[in-house]
Amino acid sequence: SGGPLDSIPPVLVTAMPKNFTTNFNSQVVKIRFSEYVKFKDVSKQLVVSPPLKQPPTITPTVAAKEFTIRFRDTLKPNTTYSLNFGNSVQDNNEGISLENFRYVFSTGNTIDSLTLEGKVVDAIERKLDPGISILLYDANETYSDSLVYKEVPRYVTSTRDSLNNFKFEYLKAGKYKLIAL
């Protein structure tokens, strides 16, 4: 019979540098899982916050236990970065997802720890499409109504369920403008 079906999602075994590292000063992260995994739709599901101009590369592109994440952008000083892989990390055989896998690090001395969560609603239509992008911009003297076209948001997330709930984590203290697209 081949035994019972695997029902346990993959587990992160090691990360170099470790997850939640401070004073991060590398362009490369190596992550190792408990079993062979594949990244399904990682180009659609990976959300890096704060956003980078160029997305990181992940190799190999086939099923493996160990992967290398390479940053192609310069990382900002004293900034907490969150790489949210969504449900893209999957067991190679059964396709069981490691739900909401996230790698977090800070280029400064501390991991920013504030959160903001809420729900997106449309006052007119009452029904929204899933996967709404939620953007946080620094609220400063450069604010204008064309902010979305001229600047990169400080933080990015998307609605995570059919009720259009969202959650930002690892935020730096400050004032922000929130925009839902």
Side-chain angles (χ1 to χ4, degrees):
S1 74
L5 281 176
D6 182 7
S7 62
I8 300 170
V11 175
L12 176 67
V13 175
T14 59
M16 274 311 273
K18 291 182 179 182
N19 205 358
F20 296 99
T21 290
T22 56
N23 297 310
F24 184 92
N25 63 357
S26 179
Q27 289 296 111
V28 175
V29 174
K30 292 193 179 281
I31 54 175
R32 183 171 182 76
F33 294 96
S34 58
E35 58 187 299
Y36 282 88
V37 299
K38 58 188 173 191
F39 285 93
K40 185 174 182 187
D41 297 329
V42 72
S43 62
K44 294 177 185 173
Q45 292 197 41
L46 176 61
V47 176
V48 180
S49 192
L52 300 170
K53 290 178 184 170
Q54 297 181 30
T57 58
I58 301 171
T59 54
T61 56
V62 295
K65 284 188 174 184
E66 187 170 300
F67 294 87
T68 301
I69 302 168
R70 191 171 312 278
F71 297 103
R72 300 183 293 164
D73 258 345
T74 302
L75 302 174
K76 297 176 187 173
N78 299 313
T79 301
T80 298
Y81 285 89
S82 173
L83 282 68
N84 187 344
F85 290 86
N87 296 328
S88 65
V89 178
Q90 296 185 348
D91 166 303
N92 187 49
N93 294 322
E94 271 71 14
I96 301 166
S97 293
L98 174 56
E99 293 190 17
N100 297 313
F101 172 61
R102 184 175 286 168
Y103 181 81
V104 177
F105 63 91
S106 175
T107 56
N109 293 327
T110 59
I111 300 284
D112 296 323
S113 60
L114 297 179
T115 62
L116 172 67
E117 57 187 309
K119 179 178 181 173
V120 178
V121 294
D122 186 321
I124 297 170
E125 298 294 325
R126 299 280 190 223
K127 184 169 177 4
L128 295 171
D129 294 330
I132 297 166
S133 295
I134 314 296
L135 315 172
L136 278 182
Y137 288 88
D138 286 319
N140 55 33
E141 63 281 346
T142 64
Y143 174 77
S144 72
D145 59 356
S146 59
L147 182 72
V148 176
Y149 301 107
K150 294 181 178 179
E151 292 186 37
V152 175
R154 174 73 181 223
Y155 298 101
V156 177
T157 193
S158 60
T159 53
R160 42 185 191 151
D161 57 27
S162 62
L163 299 175
N164 291 321
N165 293 310
F166 68 88
K167 185 174 185 178
F168 287 99
E169 295 181 287
Y170 312 108
L171 299 176
K172 183 176 282 213
K175 291 184 177 184
Y176 301 99
K177 299 288 183 182
L178 184 138
I179 297 173
L181 298 173

